Amino acid sequence: MMTSPETPTSSLPEYEGNPFIARLPPLRSQRELLDALAARPEFHAQERGYAASLRKHCIMRLGRYFEPLERQIQLADRFGMLLRQGYVGRNPLTHDYIRHLQSGAERIEAKSLTIPTRQPVENTATSFALVGCSGIGKSTAIERVLHQYPQCFQHTAPFSLVQITWLKLDCPHQGSPKQLCINFFSAVDRLVGTNYFNWYGSRRASVDEMMVRMAHVANLHALGVLVIDEIQHLNKTKIGPDALLNFLVTLVNTIGVPVILIGTLSAIPLLQENFRQARRASGLGSLVWDRMPKGKAWDYFIDQLWQYQWTREPTEINLEIREALYDESQGIMDIVVKLFMLAQLRVIGIGEVRRGPERLTVELLRKVARDDFQVVRPMLDALRSNDKKALLKYDDLLPLQAHVDQVLASTLKTQFADVARPPAVVEPVSVPMQDDGIDSIRAALRSLGVADDVVDVLINEARALTPSADPLLLMAAITERLAKRPPVQVRKPQARKPPKASATPEQDLRHVVSLGKQTGQSGYEALLAAGFVKPPLRDLAA
């Protein structure tokens, strides 16, 4: 989206007279940032009177919930400084910007980013890294910060160009600099309608040539900040992380484009060993977001979140609930939000069957966490025991939002029996699962080669372990049961060796030749005398 009005952002002398900075939104106070970054869902108390099917969908609004705290405000502040300071050395009304473009043309001609240029310019760009464990809210926070700034500005006077304020890319899964360049060209094309991918993104182009072109395009469009997310993917590359990290360092030190790297805790070692040696790699320091400790910030977050209850009657927060929420989420905001959502879904579903009160209890929260957070249980256990080494293994967990979508879909598919019970009856109700769910599980097991009688045993065992008969939980129990079964040893059929022909010494050609050599005969003469070789035709004719 492009905007046109020009408004100065500050009276600082280094910011004045710079069209790239003048188009940025004005600087904001801490309170203004807090309100701008927040994403609070729509909520009305009368919605608690809606039907259960509607209230379940209201709960899904919490999937977009974002309550900024001190660390998110700090991130927004640093981004604003990084962006503006990077533009100080690239004022299009000065000769420095022209020199930047001329240097880019020289690098294209030499097909190298590291050649010394004839027009050295002041470089004010810097960078920093943001790392933390999965689910801590890094990507969500940077997205909220980025969207405070229009991504594109169209300049028409005194020059004509499309300024790109920021660009966010995911690190390629194989850590390939070439793939990063291809992703960059495609992103710029989608943003400003250019054709850089067809011009420069050919698979036949060398990595060095693509890097030079990418740097030049970044200069042409006055790229403000380049954000690289999921930087931990560099741990999987076969060629090592040096190639891509060195390229990003060159963007900062040579081209003058600020870079922000975002990743999980497993990215710390490679950033410390590789990226820290850059001259401006940690100009604004690095942010390491650990899980939130118990304290005022955590209590504030829980108090704000707890207001969004779509149960028929709200439950008051107490110390036991606070303790359960922290223990089951280990201070990870994404997990506690999902736990709050799933607990409401569960209690509303139970209320449909029992016709009883819908209350959020400690027992319910712990049961939901035990049933629905199986995929992230290893990470939570590692956090609970403060095992830093174990946490490095859990970068590829199924995203919690995807898991919640699966649970919601399963919840909405399950048909609750319309059982008429008096309000005083509170014993647990066994909810039968649809036949379609069992048929799907049965078909999946058959496709894996499991015999029908074994399928029946596995389903019955899973039903005994999972009274709720949720298809997702049933499949999880069956998968765990199959994983514990010892693998079947399949013997490879051995190739039958052909029987050896029994031959007497007199019939063995090697024996005949050996005897002939002892009497001075050649091999041919010995075989001829023994009758194994026919005589020449002339001898037969005689």
Side-chain angles (χ1 to χ4, degrees), residues 364-439:
L364 175 71
L365 291 171
R366 294 197 180 276
K367 179 172 176 54
V368 170
R370 185 171 58 252
D371 294 344
D372 295 335
F373 283 171
Q374 296 180 23
V375 292
V376 294
R377 180 60 54 189
M379 186 183 75
L380 294 175
D381 291 340
L383 285 169
R384 194 172 285 111
S385 61
N386 201 26
D387 190 345
K388 298 294 185 183
K389 292 183 178 179
L391 284 173
L392 302 181
K393 307 175 187 175
Y394 304 125
D395 288 334
D396 298 325
L397 289 172
L398 178 69
L400 285 174
Q401 186 59 55
H403 182 61
V404 171
D405 291 342
Q406 292 179 357
V407 175
L408 176 67
S410 175
T411 302
L412 296 179
K413 281 179 60 180
T414 304
Q415 299 293 329
F416 290 92
D418 188 12
V419 182
R421 292 180 179 269
V425 178
V426 295
E427 65 267 23
V429 178
S430 176
V431 182
M433 194 182 73
Q434 285 183 317
D435 292 339
D436 291 343
I438 292 295
D439 291 341

Side-chain angles (χ1 to χ4, degrees), residues 176 280 348 489 525:
S176 166
R280 296 179 176 84
I348 289 175
Q489 300 292 335
E525 292 173 340

Side-chain angles (χ1 to χ4, degrees), residues 218-348:
N219 257 338
L220 285 176
H221 290 283
L223 177 60
V225 176
L226 178 63
V227 181
I228 307 294
D229 201 357
E230 307 293 349
I231 199 66
Q232 71 275 2
H233 289 165
L234 290 180
N235 288 318
K236 304 175 183 179
T237 176
K238 297 179 181 179
I239 61 175
D242 292 349
L244 184 55
L245 287 177
N246 289 339
F247 172 51
L248 297 177
V249 169
T250 303
L251 283 180
V252 179
N253 293 343
T254 305
I255 311 302
V257 176
V259 174
I260 299 177
L261 301 180
I262 302 176
T264 60
L265 294 175
S266 62
I268 292 179
L270 65 91
L271 292 177
Q272 288 176 337
E273 294 175 6
N274 301 81
F275 201 62
R276 67 176 180 183
Q277 298 178 4
R279 182 161 52 93
R280 296 179 176 84
S282 56
L284 291 178
S286 296
L287 299 177
V288 179
W289 286 5
D290 201 354
R291 53 180 172 153
M292 289 185 63
K294 293 181 181 178
K296 292 182 179 179
W298 175 259
D299 290 339
Y300 170 80
F301 183 81
I302 294 300
D303 289 341
Q304 296 300 310
L305 175 66
W306 200 254
Q307 302 175 46
Y308 299 97
Q309 296 184 46
W310 280 273
T311 53
R312 294 215 176 270
E313 53 277 325
T315 302
E316 292 292 332
I317 189 77
N318 56 45
L319 183 59
E320 291 183 347
I321 291 179
R322 290 182 188 275
E323 291 293 330
L325 288 172
Y326 190 87
D327 184 57
E328 296 298 343
S329 67
Q330 286 301 299
I332 298 180
M333 292 184 291
D334 193 36
I335 291 182
V336 76
V337 172
K338 301 306 186 292
L339 175 59
F340 186 49
M341 293 172 60
L342 292 171
Q344 292 193 62
L345 288 173
R346 179 75 63 90
V347 76
I348 289 175

